[in-house]
């Protein structure tokens, strides 16, 4: 939620005013939605070359922006759209210094919906492959959200790289929220995390602590954590993770996915498994029933079996897995930056599938009727690299068996009910 400037300053955060030397165009650019933890409130952030005040106009209402700068020659603006109804489309535009953007629209996520589709990427950047991934996302009109498991623009101190990155994604970021975890490349030489903070959440106005937070979407409690800050037991982040993972209502969100940057499990030779991370957090994730951990950092794709302490806990049935046994870990750091091709040999037992010279994104579909998530890993050439399904029901007791040998038939309750009715009629 947008809190008054005075409040932000009380938190020890100072919003830097923009210098009078910023006299360029006040045409809004780099416009992007920022999802809050309240479905009735959506924030929007944009940038202008010139210093100005701004506002957002939506559904016949207007709200002023907070305007601020950091050590880069652009002015930033963040404003809140409030009183929104989940599931109902909102049309909006943003303005600064009398210049307005075109109109955009988005639909606030209704966490009680029975269907949700989203895309996850990691290690993006601005290569031609990264742009192919972006184009795939932008053209995906059914996706309702994008997550990034860190290493976002690879600006690495060159702030105009962020400007270009946001402008390239604007077509998607103005209509669906992109929700991010920080990677090591968000900790920039000479800037630290300041650019990330200012471009995704002006000084902690959306989150009191923007490096770890959670969001509920249909079927899934999503945790965004930082592998780039202290996560050891006893740390603030660990305490937060423990509290957040303990508070999940599985009736509402049967699945828990943790997004972070460095992987607990990776058989890529470039970085490999982040063992300190595994030592610090794996036990907690297993104890709290985390279903999936989605990381990046190693620029390849890998999926583990449900695993704990490097020991495979389950091998599922075909491409189907039941939640509640142990987390499956994905490394999806191949959204464009580069490909780390050298793999550890032999392939560790916990590694179920890996792919080391392709680029792409992972797409998830939650189906509330059968309470399962389908995962598909798409390559930029349009082929599919990996597919699996995570279901709430134990294997052997539900949709996985099929019915009368028809896969998925047992899950189809309306059909089953018709079948039951037919049997009753026959009696
Ligand atoms: Fe990376
Ligand atoms: Fe990284």
């Amino acid at each position: 939620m947008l809190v008054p400037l005075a409040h932000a300053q009380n938190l020890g955060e100072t919003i830097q005013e923009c210098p009078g030397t910023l006299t360029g165009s006040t045409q809004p650019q780099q416009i992007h939605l920022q999802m809050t933890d309240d479905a009735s409130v959506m924030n929007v952030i944009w940038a202008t070359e010139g210093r100005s005040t701004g506002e957002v106009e939506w559904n016949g209402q207007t709200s002023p922006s907070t305007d601020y700068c950091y050590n880069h020659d652009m002015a930033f603006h963040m404003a809140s759209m409030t009183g929104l109804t989940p599931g109902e489309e909102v049309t909006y535009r943003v303005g600064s210094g009398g210049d307005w953007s075109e109109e955009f629209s988005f639909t606030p996520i209704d966490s009680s919906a029975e269907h949700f589709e989203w895309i996850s990427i990691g290690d993006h950047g601005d290569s031609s492959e990264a742009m192919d991934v972006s184009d795939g996302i932008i053209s995906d009109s059914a996706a309702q959200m994008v997550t990034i498991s860190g290493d976002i623009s690879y600006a690495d101190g060159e702030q105009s790289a962020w400007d270009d990155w946001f402008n390239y994604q604007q077509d998607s970021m103005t209509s669906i929220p992109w929700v991010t975890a920080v990677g090591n490349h968000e900790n920039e030489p000479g800037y630290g995390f300041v650019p990330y903070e200012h471009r995704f959440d002006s000084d902690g106005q959306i989150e009191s602590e923007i490096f770890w937070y959670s969001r509920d979407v249909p079927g899934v409690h999503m945790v965004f954590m930082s592998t780039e800050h202290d996560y050891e037991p006893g740390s603030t982040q660990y305490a937060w993770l423990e509290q957040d993972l303990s508070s999940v209502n599985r009736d509402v969100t049967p699945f828990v996915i943790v997004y972070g940057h460095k992987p607990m499990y990776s058989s890529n030779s470039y970085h490999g498994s982040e063992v300190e991370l595994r030592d610090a957090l794996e036990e907690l994730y297993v104890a709290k029933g985390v279903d999936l951990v989605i990381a990046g950092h190693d620029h390849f794709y890998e999926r583990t079996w449900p695993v704990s302490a490097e020991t495979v806990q389950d091998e599922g049935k075909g491409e189907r897995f039941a939640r509640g046994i142990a987390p499956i870990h994905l490394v999806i750091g191949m959204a464009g930056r580069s490909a780390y091709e050298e793999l550890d040999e032999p392939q560790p037992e916990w590694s179920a599938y890996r792919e080391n010279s392709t680029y792409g994104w992972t797409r998830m579909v939650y189906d509330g009727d059968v309470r399962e998530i389908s995962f598909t890993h798409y390559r930029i050439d349009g082929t599919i690299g990996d597919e699996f399904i995570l279901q709430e029901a134990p294997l052997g007791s539900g949709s996985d068996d099929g019915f009368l040998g028809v896969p998925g038939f047992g899950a189809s309750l309306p059909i089953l009910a018709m079948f039951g009715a037919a049997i009753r009629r026959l009696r």
Side-chain angles (χ1 to χ4, degrees):
M1 297 260 309
L2 192 67
V3 295
L5 183 57
H7 185 195
Q9 283 169 337
N10 287 344
L11 292 171
E13 313 279 0
T14 309
I15 291 193
Q16 190 184 320
E17 283 199 23
C18 296
T21 50
L22 287 185
T23 54
S25 164
T26 53
Q27 183 61 43
Q29 55 167 282
Q30 305 178 46
I31 305 162
H32 56 108
L33 297 172
Q34 279 300 111
M35 182 184 181
T36 73
D37 61 2
D38 178 345
S40 73
V41 180
M42 182 66 89
N43 284 6
V44 55
I45 297 179
W46 68 100
T48 52
E49 290 172 0
R51 182 170 78 157
S52 65
T53 56
E55 60 187 329
V56 59
E57 189 181 274
W58 82 101
N59 294 355
Q61 301 176 67
T62 59
S63 174
S65 62
T66 303
D67 312 297
Y68 56 96
C69 280
Y70 72 97
N71 189 20
H72 172 47
D73 53 357
M74 296 289 284
F76 295 88
H77 314 275
M78 181 166 106
S80 285
M81 293 172 265
T82 58
L84 312 177
T85 305
E88 275 183 25
E89 191 176 70
V90 176
T91 300
Y92 71 101
R93 61 177 187 159
V94 297
S96 285
D99 288 322
W100 287 93
S101 71
E102 61 181 288
E103 280 199 337
F104 305 106
S105 59
F106 70 96
T107 303
I109 293 167
D110 177 0
S111 62
S112 68
E114 292 293 310
H115 187 89
F116 190 66
E117 305 191 16
W118 76 105
I119 291 169
S120 293
I121 61 171
D123 304 82
H124 191 212
D126 64 354
S127 66
S128 69
E129 291 87 355
M131 287 177 181
D132 286 346
V133 169
S134 295
D135 294 345
I137 295 172
I138 290 164
S139 65
D140 188 336
S141 58
Q144 294 164 274
M145 178 187 199
V146 173
T147 72
I148 308 184
S149 290
D151 284 5
I152 300 167
S153 74
Y154 289 86
D156 296 332
E158 181 54 54
Q159 295 307 305
S160 61
W162 275 117
D163 300 334
D164 296 342
W165 187 88
F166 275 104
N167 278 327
Y168 199 87
Q169 327 310 327
Q170 181 175 290
D171 282 346
S172 173
M173 296 183 97
T174 47
S175 60
I176 58 174
W178 288 40
V179 188
T180 53
V182 285
N184 52 302
H185 283 274
E186 276 63 69
N187 189 358
E188 299 182 49
Y191 290 86
F193 290 100
V194 167
Y196 175 85
E197 291 175 273
H198 283 70
R199 288 167 177 277
F200 286 95
D201 181 4
S202 61
D203 285 322
Q205 293 195 32
I206 299 173
E207 292 300 322
S208 57
E209 179 48 79
I210 71 161
F211 299 114
W212 44 88
Y213 58 95
S214 59
R215 293 286 180 269
D216 280 347
V217 299
V220 187
H221 179 74
M222 294 181 176
V223 174
F224 297 85
M225 59 83 64
S226 172
T227 60
E228 310 311 306
H229 295 79
D230 191 0
Y231 47 67
E232 297 287 332
S235 66
T236 313
Q237 181 171 203
Y238 186 96
W240 179 85
L241 280 167
E242 190 170 37
Q243 166 267 315
D244 185 83
L245 292 172
S246 301
S247 67
V248 180
N249 181 345
R250 297 279 181 163
D251 292 336
V252 179
T253 51
F255 300 98
V256 172
I257 300 179
V258 175
Y259 289 94
H261 184 57
K262 290 178 181 146
M264 284 187 194
Y265 289 91
S266 164
S267 68
N268 193 293
S269 308
Y270 197 90
H271 294 299
S273 301
E274 187 78 2
V275 176
E276 310 93 86
L277 180 71
R278 194 162 74 203
D279 289 348
L281 293 176
E282 183 178 35
E283 237 171 76
L284 177 68
Y285 288 3
V286 171
K288 299 299 180 190
V290 170
D291 299 300
L292 207 87
V293 180
I294 302 185
H297 196 49
D298 269 328
H299 297 178
F300 80 137
Y301 178 91
E302 183 164 46
R303 168 169 57 86
T304 71
W305 300 108
V307 63
S308 173
E310 295 186 79
T311 308
V312 176
Q313 305 295 310
D314 180 43
E315 290 194 343
K317 223 182 225 183
E319 59 186 28
R320 231 170 227 288
F321 297 88
R323 68 150 307 276
I325 297 170
I328 291 172
H329 296 256
L330 296 186
V331 179
I332 58 165
M334 19 70 70
R337 172 61 174 185
S338 60
Y340 300 159
E341 302 205 354
E342 204 181 320
L343 303 180
D344 294 347
E345 300 292 351
Q347 182 171 9
E349 247 171 56
W350 43 257
S351 173
Y353 178 75
R354 56 187 187 172
E355 191 167 307
N356 64 341
S357 57
T358 54
Y359 295 92
W361 62 91
T362 304
R363 198 174 189 289
M364 277 74 84
V365 179
Y366 171 71
D367 181 346
D369 288 333
V370 285
R371 291 170 76 96
E372 64 184 38
I373 307 174
S374 304
F375 296 78
T376 310
H377 179 63
Y378 290 96
R379 306 186 187 109
I380 53 178
D381 66 6
T383 58
I384 288 174
D386 188 28
E387 279 180 294
F388 68 102
I389 294 167
L390 192 60
Q391 65 179 49
E392 183 186 38
L395 289 174
S397 69
S399 54
D400 53 284
D401 280 347
F403 188 74
L404 300 177
V406 183
F409 194 90
S412 185
L413 291 176
I415 296 173
L416 199 60
M418 280 165 52
F419 192 75
I423 289 172
R424 280 195 295 279
R425 276 198 302 277
L426 286 173
R427 276 180 181 159

